[in-house]
């Protein structure tokens, strides 16, 4: 017979705090990746209202590499999640 264990208010607060930190981390990672790839791939003299084929390809490759390297570093550090 399993006991019905509900988390205490302290446990809930800790869980919420961890979830909040994780969300902050993900937003910062996304912002860094977006800024890095945009600066690398998009010419700062805008000639067209939309990205051209070369810029699209560059951004696609940049995001893929950024995510891959971030995950590799996270695995090397043993945390299982990408570093900041």
């Amino acid at each position: 017979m399993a006991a019905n264990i509900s988390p205490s208010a302290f446990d809930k607060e800790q869980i919420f705090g961890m979830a909040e930190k994780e969300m902050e981390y993900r937003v910062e990672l996304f912002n860094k990746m977006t800024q890095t790839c945009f600066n690398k791939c998009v010419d700062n003299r805008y000639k067209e209202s939309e990205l051209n084929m070369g810029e699209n390809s560059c951004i696609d490759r940049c995001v893929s590499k950024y995510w891959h390297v971030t995950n590799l570093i996270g695995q090397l550090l043993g945390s299982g999640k990408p570093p900041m």
Side-chain angles (χ1 to χ4, degrees):
M1 184 165 134
N4 186 7
I5 302 172
S6 63
S8 69
F10 179 73
D11 291 338
K12 288 180 183 178
E13 190 174 311
Q14 273 190 318
I15 292 169
F16 182 75
M18 289 170 53
E20 193 174 42
K21 288 289 184 196
E22 180 71 16
M23 183 58 99
E24 289 172 4
Y25 160 78
R26 298 243 177 224
V27 167
E28 186 174 343
L29 176 65
F30 177 79
N31 288 338
K32 284 181 181 179
M33 180 180 62
T34 302
Q35 183 178 19
T36 299
C37 292
F38 184 86
N39 290 339
K40 177 182 179 358
C41 297
V42 179
D43 189 15
N44 57 359
R45 289 176 283 131
Y46 304 111
K47 300 173 189 170
E48 303 166 5
S49 62
E50 296 187 19
L51 297 175
N52 64 39
M53 184 73 98
E55 291 168 332
N56 274 324
S57 295
C58 179
I59 290 172
D60 187 44
R61 286 190 312 271
C62 180
V63 168
S64 178
K65 288 177 184 179
Y66 195 98
W67 193 247
H68 181 74
V69 169
T70 302
N71 284 324
L72 279 175
I73 293 170
Q75 289 173 359
L76 289 173
L77 294 176
S79 67
K81 73 175 191 177
M84 287 289 250

